[in-house]
Amino acid sequence: MRNLAWWQSAVIYEVYPRSFQDSNGDGIGDLDGIIQRLDYLVKLGVDAIWVAPVYRSPMADFGYDVADYCDVDPIFGTMQDFDRLLEEAHRRDLKLILDFVPNHSSDQHPWFLESRSSRENAKRDWYLWRDEPNNWMSNFGGSGWEWDRQTNQYYYHSFLKEQPDLNWRNPAVRTAMYDALRFWLDKGVDGFRVDVMWLLVKDDQYRDNPLDPHFAPGQSSGNSLLPVYNSNRLEVHNVVAEMRAVIDSYSRRVLIGEIYLPMKDLMTYYGQNLKGANLPFNFLLLQSAWNAQAIGQVISGYMSSLPPGGWPNWVLGNHDNARIATRVGHSQASIAAMLLLTLPGTLTIYYGDEIGMTNALIRPEDVQDPAEKRQPGIGMGRDPERTPMPWDCSEMAGFTHGRPWLPLVADHRAVNVEVEEGDGASILNLYRRLIALRGARPMLVGGQLRSLTTSGDLLSYERASENERLAIFLNFGHGLVQVATEAGTVLAGTDSRRNTERVHNFIELQGSEGVVVEVVS
Ligand code: NOJ
Ligand code: CA
């Protein structure tokens, strides 16, 4: 197999830093906490961590409102702590990917304070100011325009009013942002996950968006219009190509884009001549119905839509979506793990999913997420999937000595790292085995995917190289399934007792069971 870049064969692990490990008892995870848990990640077998924003921030959107792109928020630690994290990660051969939030800053960022100070200020045009609002909405619901009393104009915010959108048509903004990228690249970070990449550029004529005919009452009002003029504008690709050029002026770095768009549009973010994002995040597994047919279609549809040379990637969870074990249920979470870890390309796992962590129930008085506060009770809140990582059976699950900023998930005494490490049949040990298998069989990363078929609840496909063939069988249902197969040996089963089992001409799968079979040909 040809030589791959590190990020092409990587399993990336997303750390939501507030909830990973608290080191000083304030109930909020921090950089020192991440350092303490690096060995756990090495043992899990992942190659890279993507850390959600740790920049200086008033935390209106928990770090996605940046007040200084080149500093660390004291809640998370100091720049020395950051440097130590980078060093300790690299010492263990783990790459470190930072979140980069270019679409908007905090309203407390000195750039915005200047911009809003007067219409004549040199930074006025760094943000989107208008005399009259148009109909563009905030993605968190309600109008996206905020009236500024002092200068009698409105500014646009795609999210909270505390997150004013930067004007990416202004070359000075671009230069300043690329300087921020270089600041971290010079330190040695291995790449960036770019927040809301597809939103960066807006229509220069500020045309009104059309109504979305599919909008139904009860949904977020942010979905009432089709975002034709404030998202996915053609000019965004110039910006992405410029970011990529910055990244490429360093060696061995990666540019990942957060992009929620239909498949055809998503693929354009690989860029002309593949000079856009190395990895436009593929969220199909998060969005698809959970059955063999739907997942089969998602896989073939995605693989056949990739531009020539475009590298595939798959995401099973993140800090904005319901956890996989909640979405598909405990028993199917193992199938999801086996599916993810046998797909081609780069993979992203969300912290806690490897132990089968579920969404937590958040009482109204515990709500933290501004998305929930802005539109309560319609399912916009992301607190349920952001609760502290349960490490052990102690009262606060080994996450903190204090009071955690979000409650622990109710079953933390049963579903935690300590318990699962000691249980050979746990999902944690399944993840470890599957990640190790992927490392041992590079064809799982870069080999062919073929013979994908579905029949009832069964999804099967083959991964193949010139001299190896692995057949994957996944039972998405709860009943017994029998399937004809070639002879071989089970390399990994969701039921670990099946490992090394010899298979002759058929195999039986219990409900929610999956196996990887090495076919002898
Ligand atoms: C996407 C991030 O993943 C989400 O958590 C955040 O609220 C918005 N972008 C705004 O930055
Ligand atoms: Ca802390």
Side-chain angles (χ1 to χ4, degrees):
M1 206 167 306
R2 67 205 158 90
N3 274 345
L4 298 178
W6 69 263
W7 53 265
Q8 292 181 298
S9 58
V11 176
I12 300 172
Y13 185 94
E14 181 188 354
V15 170
Y16 191 71
R18 294 181 72 85
S19 294
F20 199 54
Q21 176 67 58
D22 175 24
S23 71
N24 61 354
D26 66 357
I28 300 174
D30 44 51
L31 294 171
D32 214 39
I34 302 176
I35 296 172
Q36 288 171 25
R37 296 299 183 180
L38 287 176
D39 288 331
Y40 166 80
L41 297 174
V42 170
K43 198 160 173 207
L44 179 59
V46 300
D47 305 287
I49 54 176
W50 146 37
V51 182
V54 292
Y55 308 105
R56 194 174 276 278
S57 164
M59 303 288 163
D61 190 19
F62 297 114
Y64 284 97
D65 48 321
V66 178
D68 185 341
Y69 287 96
C70 299
D71 202 2
V72 168
D73 196 273
I75 260 288
F76 296 120
T78 62
M79 191 58 90
Q80 286 70 37
D81 296 329
F82 178 84
D83 292 339
R84 213 154 37 80
L85 170 61
L86 186 60
E87 196 185 310
E88 292 290 329
H90 282 171
R91 207 157 61 76
R92 291 167 174 80
D93 237 351
L94 286 170
K95 306 285 186 192
L96 180 62
I97 298 168
L98 285 189
D99 217 301
F100 188 58
V101 192
N103 178 69
H104 43 269
S105 71
S106 160
D107 65 345
Q108 300 306 309
H109 195 295
W111 298 341
F112 188 69
L113 295 178
E114 274 194 51
S115 184
R116 84 183 312 176
S117 67
S118 90
R119 291 198 190 193
E120 284 70 46
N121 186 277
K123 292 209 168 54
R124 185 65 170 181
D125 186 50
W126 280 40
Y127 293 84
L128 303 173
W129 291 99
R130 303 282 291 167
D131 290 333
E132 296 293 332
N134 62 12
N135 72 352
W136 298 352
M137 306 293 284
S138 152
N139 287 285
F140 286 153
S143 167
W145 293 95
E146 181 70 15
W147 173 246
D148 179 62
R149 242 192 270 139
Q150 196 182 321
T151 55
N152 292 332
Q153 276 191 319
Y154 293 85
Y155 66 86
Y156 181 64
H157 53 91
S158 294
F159 295 91
L160 300 174
K161 68 175 173 20
E162 292 84 1
Q163 295 167 293
D165 280 34
L166 282 149
N167 176 12
W168 274 85
R169 292 179 185 276
N170 183 325
V173 168
R174 288 151 90 139
T175 307
M177 286 304 225
Y178 303 150
D179 283 348
L181 288 178
R182 287 192 197 93
F183 174 84
W184 299 100
L185 291 165
D186 285 339
K187 280 186 178 286
V189 308
D190 300 288
F192 294 95
R193 170 268 190 192
V194 179
D195 193 62
V196 295
M197 187 181 259
W198 84 110
L199 300 186
L200 290 179
V201 180
K202 283 88 184 170
D203 181 36
D204 55 357
Q205 297 169 53
Y206 291 87
R207 281 169 281 189
D208 274 341
N209 280 329
L211 293 177
D212 183 343
H214 300 295
F215 177 71
Q219 294 177 0
S220 162
S221 63
N223 300 340
S224 56
L225 307 174
L226 294 169
V228 175
Y229 293 110
N230 58 347
S231 81
N232 194 32
R233 302 298 299 168
L234 210 51
E235 299 96 318
V236 72
H237 295 291
N238 302 332
V239 172
V240 177
E242 284 176 5
M243 283 185 186
R244 172 65 182 275
V246 174
I247 298 285
D248 279 356
S249 65
Y250 295 75
S251 58
R252 295 165 55 77
R253 314 296 164 105
V254 68
L255 183 67
I256 305 174
E258 184 208 21
I259 300 152
Y260 287 90
L261 283 174
M263 186 107 75
K264 202 163 134 277
D265 295 324
L266 174 69
M267 294 302 173
T268 63
Y269 285 76
Y270 281 99
Q272 257 186 5
N273 304 318
L274 300 179
K275 287 292 183 195
N278 296 113
L279 301 172
F281 260 152
N282 161 12
F283 296 128
L284 289 166
L285 296 179
L286 294 176
Q287 296 164 327
S288 166
W290 195 256
N291 61 64
Q293 270 69 34
I295 295 295
Q297 274 166 21
V298 154
I299 297 171
S300 359
Y302 178 74
M303 293 307 291
S304 61
S305 304
L306 285 168
W311 189 252
N313 81 91
W314 303 90
V315 178
L316 197 58
N318 64 29
H319 62 282
D320 294 325
N321 288 280
R323 284 188 177 274
I324 184 76
T326 293
R327 219 156 55 75
V328 307
H330 259 304
S331 54
Q332 285 283 313
S334 300
I335 296 294
M338 186 165 278
L339 169 71
L340 180 77
L341 285 154
T342 52
L343 287 174
T346 309
L347 311 179
T348 304
I349 298 175
Y350 185 46
Y351 86 93
D353 282 353
E354 78 277 19
I355 58 169
M357 200 174 160
T358 48
N359 278 12
L361 283 174
I362 305 291
R363 296 174 306 179
E365 60 269 34
D366 290 330
V367 169
Q368 300 285 336
D369 185 6
E372 175 70 22
K373 290 182 177 165
R374 212 169 137 109
Q375 299 189 96
I378 57 165
M380 301 312 292
R382 300 160 298 176
D383 294 328
E385 60 262 22
R386 295 177 175 179
T387 59
M389 178 80 171
W391 295 100
D392 60 35
C393 298
S394 65
E395 197 188 342
M396 290 306 167
F399 167 71
T400 182
H401 299 300
R403 194 175 118 69
W405 76 287
L406 275 176
L408 289 159
V409 63
D411 60 2
H412 67 90
R413 284 202 170 77
V415 179
N416 66 52
V417 172
E418 184 184 31
V419 165
E420 294 194 23
E421 283 198 316
D423 172 6
S426 68
I427 186 164
L428 174 60
N429 279 312
L430 175 65
Y431 265 94
R432 284 177 176 169
R433 280 197 303 275
L434 290 170
I435 294 172
L437 179 64
R438 200 171 170 87
R441 304 289 183 121
M443 58 91 107
L444 278 172
V445 175
Q448 282 179 43
L449 184 148
R450 63 186 196 199
S451 313
L452 185 138
T453 51
T454 57
S455 149
D457 285 329
L458 184 81
L459 171 69
S460 58
Y461 47 91
E462 262 186 33
R463 300 301 315 281
S465 66
E466 258 167 42
N467 39 27
E468 288 168 294
R469 240 172 359 117
L470 305 186
I472 291 102
F473 301 100
L474 303 171
N475 183 356
F476 281 74
H478 298 285
L480 192 74
V481 164
Q482 290 189 329
V483 46
T485 170
E486 294 168 75
T489 308
V490 174
L491 287 186
T494 50
D495 177 346
S496 60
R497 288 168 305 186
R498 295 195 76 161
N499 297 349
T500 73
E501 178 183 313
R502 299 279 306 149
V503 176
H504 299 290
N505 43 17
F506 89 104
I507 188 161
E508 222 173 52
L509 296 177
Q510 304 296 318
S512 301
E513 187 174 17
V515 287
V516 180
V517 176
E518 170 136 58
V519 178
V520 285
S521 31

